[in-house]
């Protein structure tokens, strides 16, 4: 005589189905293309879609942080219409010509960026009028 434990069989089937769903979600997440700056809320789909030599844009903002060792500066900046960006808090690499020792957190500044496809480098920083 064979005795079936339907309760055990049902739990095993439910567990197997849950594992299959989790694995399918992981595979789908890995297959998704990486997001770009244009995918961010408020960011123009045209952000960075410029010529091969890059694009120049000017902005104003407040210096939030300076990392001279890594040659990076963080701004709380206003909108940058030339590249379709809204106001935001963002860190940028600084060109070798930018003297970061003269840049202090809390300063209101004007700055110039060059780059393309969401990758921009600070080319100049001057005190805001």
């Amino acid at each position: 005589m064979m005795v079936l434990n339907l309760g055990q069989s049902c739990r095993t089937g439910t567990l197997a189905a849950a594992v299959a769903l989790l694995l399918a979600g992981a595979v789908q997440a890995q297959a998704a293309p990486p997001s770009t700056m244009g995918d961010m809320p408020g960011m123009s789909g045209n952000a960075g879609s410029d010529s091969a030599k890059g694009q120049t844009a000017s902005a104003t903002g407040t210096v939030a942080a300076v990392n001279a060792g890594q040659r990076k500066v963080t701004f709380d900046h206003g909108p940058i219409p030339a590249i379709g960006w809204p106001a935001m808090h963002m860190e940028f690499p600084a060109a070798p010509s930018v003297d970061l020792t003269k840049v202090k957190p809390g300063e209101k500044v004007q700055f110039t960026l060059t780059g393309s496809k969401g990758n921009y480098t600070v080319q100049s920083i001057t005190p805001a009028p």
Side-chain angles (χ1 to χ4, degrees):
M1 176 172 172
M2 180 181 226
V3 176
L4 293 175
N5 184 343
L6 293 178
Q8 178 69 28
S9 176
C10 190
R11 282 193 298 269
T12 302
T14 302
L15 178 61
V19 168
L21 283 173
L22 287 172
L23 290 174
V27 169
Q28 183 178 11
Q30 288 178 354
S35 65
T36 63
M37 294 292 280
D39 295 336
M40 293 174 64
M43 300 292 280
S44 166
N46 295 326
S49 62
D50 36 78
S51 68
K53 66 180 180 179
Q55 183 175 10
T56 299
S58 295
T60 58
T62 302
V63 176
V66 178
N67 185 330
Q70 291 186 2
R71 303 234 19 97
K72 294 184 178 183
V73 60
T74 304
F75 297 110
D76 288 317
H77 65 77
I80 309 176
I83 55 178
W85 285 2
M88 68 179 112
H89 178 91
M90 191 168 185
E91 179 180 68
F92 294 95
S97 60
V98 177
D99 185 357
L100 293 178
T101 64
K102 296 181 179 181
V103 180
K104 306 292 180 221
E107 288 183 310
K108 296 199 182 300
V109 296
Q110 291 183 319
F111 59 98
T112 304
L113 303 171
T114 60
S116 64
K117 297 184 181 176
N119 295 312
Y120 290 88
T121 300
V122 175
Q123 298 297 323
S124 69
I125 302 173
T126 56

